[in-house]
């Protein structure tokens, strides 16, 4: 909205042309989302507390988590409000990619919200059944995959790009692209949800990965940079940098309230939505493998659950003391803060590796 | 001497903790200082374009 206003004002005052630069709008989106989250956060936490929307803590989890019971949850709605308002303010609203990412994020958020609402407000411990939740995620993922697949106008935009190798790109075709998009969006959404088990553990990697994806979006959407760095040029993808800026800002401000000891948890409404947003952006900018690398913590957390379940079903033995992996380290004696900050450090390293693929190819 | 210093520091920390608890806030300053630094870095980066 502000872009249109700036363009209108720029007819008389040329200084307003500065707002047409994506880089500046991305930074301003980040700051705007930060301020919105800081402003709305305390109000929302008070509301959630007064409505007694508190987290229930599983009694089969680590004992150290029992004091967390009653901490307000569904704080992810705060992130979503900040991201949506900021994106509507700073992004080019004629851009289709921005709308696709916004709608996917909000749709996954809605699924998470229903699940949280049933669990926390209606006190139904089952919430949304795993099967129903997965069915909704799949439906949204498939629709998003179709929309993205039929928005592409060049074969290069549906190629599977292998980082570090300039000349290796596999043409996926429409069906292959849709299947892969579905797996990336739904997989990332669930991976972030599984990781969201300690204070600040899921949000900080989301912030870092989102910022890095913003760089990839900017490069992919810039004809000169894309050609220079050997990326496929994706018209309009640059505008996603504004969304990524908003997501990073909102996430960072949310961390203010979510840092140990957390005043609020994001809940499924936040975790599912943030994961889906990262997955959708990665697919649009053709950087699925880079997302896989940068989101290594999410990947390993998910694998730990899969391996634990498979091992217990097949052999009756557990591989980890507890899954997801962060609980394993807690039970090994690491403090919650140590697990969280160490996983952040690992993510920072992985994001750097991901960013190095900009040039190393 | 060292012990006395440590005592001072912990007394300060206790006071800060009590103050923040009285105001209904949790004690998580390190991460909040990091966030403030990140915001300032962002403002610094925006000067790349805003000039």
């Amino acid at each position: 909205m502000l872009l249109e206003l700036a363009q209108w004002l720029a007819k008389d005052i040329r200084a307003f042309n500065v707002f047409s630069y994506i880089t500046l709008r991305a930074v301003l989106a980040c700051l705007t989302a930060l301020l919105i989250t800081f402003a709305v956060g305390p109000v929302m936490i008070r509301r959630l507390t007064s409505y007694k929307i508190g987290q229930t803590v599983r009694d089969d989890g680590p004992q150290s988590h029992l004091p967390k019971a009653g901490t307000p949850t569904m704080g992810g709605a705060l992130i979503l409000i900040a991201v949506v308002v900021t994106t509507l303010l700073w992004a080019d609203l004629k851009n289709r990619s921005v709308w696709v990412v916004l709608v996917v994020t909000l749709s996954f958020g809605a699924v998470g919200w229903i699940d949280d609402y049933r669990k926390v407000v209606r006190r139904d411990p089952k919430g949304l059944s795993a099967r129903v939740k997965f069915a909704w995620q799949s439906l949204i993922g498939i629709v998003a995959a179709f929309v993205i697949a039929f928005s592409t106008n060049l074969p290069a935009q549906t190629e599977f790009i292998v980082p570090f190798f300039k000349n290796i790109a596999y043409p996926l075709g429409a069906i292959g692209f849709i299947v892969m998009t579905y797996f990336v969006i739904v997989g990332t959404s669930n991976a972030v949800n599984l990781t969201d088990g300690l204070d600040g553990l899921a949000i900080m990697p989301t912030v870092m990965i989102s910022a890095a994806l913003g760089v990839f979006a900017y490069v992919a959407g810039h004809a000169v940079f894309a050609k220079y760095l050997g990326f496929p040029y994706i018209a309009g993808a640059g505008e996603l940098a504004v969304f990524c800026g908003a997501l990073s800002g909102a996430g960072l401000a949310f961390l203010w309230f979510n840092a140990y000891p957390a005043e609020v948890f994001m809940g499924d409404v936040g975790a599912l939505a943030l994961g889906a947003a990262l997955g959708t952006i990665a697919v649009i900018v053709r950087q699925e493998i880079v997302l896989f690398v940068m989101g290594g913590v999410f990947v390993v957390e998910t694998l730990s659950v899969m391996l634990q379940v498979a091992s217990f079903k097949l052999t009756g033995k557990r591989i980890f003391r507890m899954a997801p992996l962060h609980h394993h380290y807690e039970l090994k004696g690491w403090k919650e803060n140590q697990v969280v900050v160490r996983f952040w450090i690992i993510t920072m390293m992985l994001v750097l590796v991901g960013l190095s693929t900009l040039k190393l190819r | 001497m060292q012990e006395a210093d440590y005592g001072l520091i912990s007394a300060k920390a206790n006071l800060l903790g009590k103050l923040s608890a009285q105001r209904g806030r949790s004690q998580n300053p390190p991460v909040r200082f990091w966030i403030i630094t990140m915001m300032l870095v962002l403002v610094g980066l925006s000067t790349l374009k805003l000039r």
Side-chain angles (χ1 to χ4, degrees), chain A residues 31-242:
Chain A
L31 291 171
T32 309
L34 264 162
L35 293 177
I36 292 175
T37 313
F38 278 141
V40 181
V43 180
M44 188 176 245
I45 292 170
R46 273 200 298 275
R47 281 276 165 85
L48 291 171
T49 311
S50 67
Y51 293 153
K52 295 190 170 49
I53 302 181
Q55 180 74 33
T56 48
V57 174
R58 292 172 59 153
D59 49 14
D60 54 351
Q63 293 296 306
S64 59
H65 286 213
L66 294 178
K68 291 176 190 279
T71 304
T73 187
M74 296 178 79
L78 173 64
I79 305 174
L80 294 188
I81 290 169
V83 169
V84 171
V85 170
T86 307
T87 307
L88 293 178
L89 280 177
W90 288 112
D92 177 4
L93 299 182
K94 291 191 283 291
N95 186 295
R96 183 187 271 226
S97 299
V98 169
W99 282 108
V100 169
V101 176
L102 269 181
V103 170
V104 170
T105 306
L106 285 176
S107 305
F108 272 80
V111 174
W113 191 85
I114 294 168
D115 189 32
D116 283 338
Y117 185 83
R118 288 191 181 180
K119 276 184 197 161
V120 181
V121 181
R122 287 204 196 157
R123 310 279 173 203
D124 173 8
K126 287 178 192 164
L128 210 56
S129 77
R131 200 171 285 177
V132 173
K133 191 155 79 171
F134 187 68
W136 277 110
Q137 288 178 325
S138 298
L139 180 68
I140 301 162
I142 289 171
V143 171
F146 267 94
V147 173
I148 298 169
F150 291 105
S151 301
T152 56
N153 42 25
L154 290 172
Q157 291 177 6
T158 55
E159 281 179 346
F160 187 60
I161 296 170
V162 181
F164 297 115
F165 298 97
K166 194 183 281 184
N167 299 317
I168 301 181
Y170 296 102
L172 289 167
I175 294 173
F177 180 81
I178 289 166
V179 171
M180 195 201 57
T181 302
Y182 162 76
F183 277 112
V184 172
I185 296 175
V186 176
T188 318
S189 175
N190 285 308
V192 174
N193 198 19
L194 284 174
T195 308
D196 183 34
L198 298 181
D199 298 351
L201 182 59
I203 193 64
M204 193 57 183
T206 304
V207 167
M208 291 188 268
I209 295 167
S210 166
L213 282 177
V215 176
F216 280 99
Y218 180 69
V219 168
H222 195 293
V224 178
F225 290 161
K227 192 180 175 192
Y228 171 66
L229 293 169
F231 279 83
Y233 168 61
I234 302 159
E239 207 61 36
L240 289 178
V242 179

Side-chain angles (χ1 to χ4, degrees), chain B residues 7-26:
Chain B
L8 259 181
I9 292 164
S10 64
K12 253 187 201 170
N14 280 339
L15 185 64
L16 280 173
K18 276 178 190 167
L19 279 174
S20 59
Q22 276 170 7
R23 292 160 70 189
R25 288 183 187 170
S26 50

Side-chain angles (χ1 to χ4, degrees), chain B:
Chain B
M1 185 62 194
Q2 245 181 351
E3 274 184 17
D5 281 347
Y6 282 136
L8 259 181
I9 292 164
S10 64
K12 253 187 201 170
N14 280 339
L15 185 64
L16 280 173
K18 276 178 190 167
L19 279 174
S20 59
Q22 276 170 7
R23 292 160 70 189
R25 288 183 187 170
S26 50
Q27 302 164 44
N28 38 14
V31 174
R32 291 182 172 179
F33 284 162
W34 298 349
I35 295 170
I36 292 167
T37 309
M38 283 189 213
M39 284 165 61
L40 296 174
V41 169
L42 265 177
V43 173
L45 282 175
S46 69
T47 65
L48 278 169
K49 202 80 196 178
L50 280 178
R51 55 179 67 224

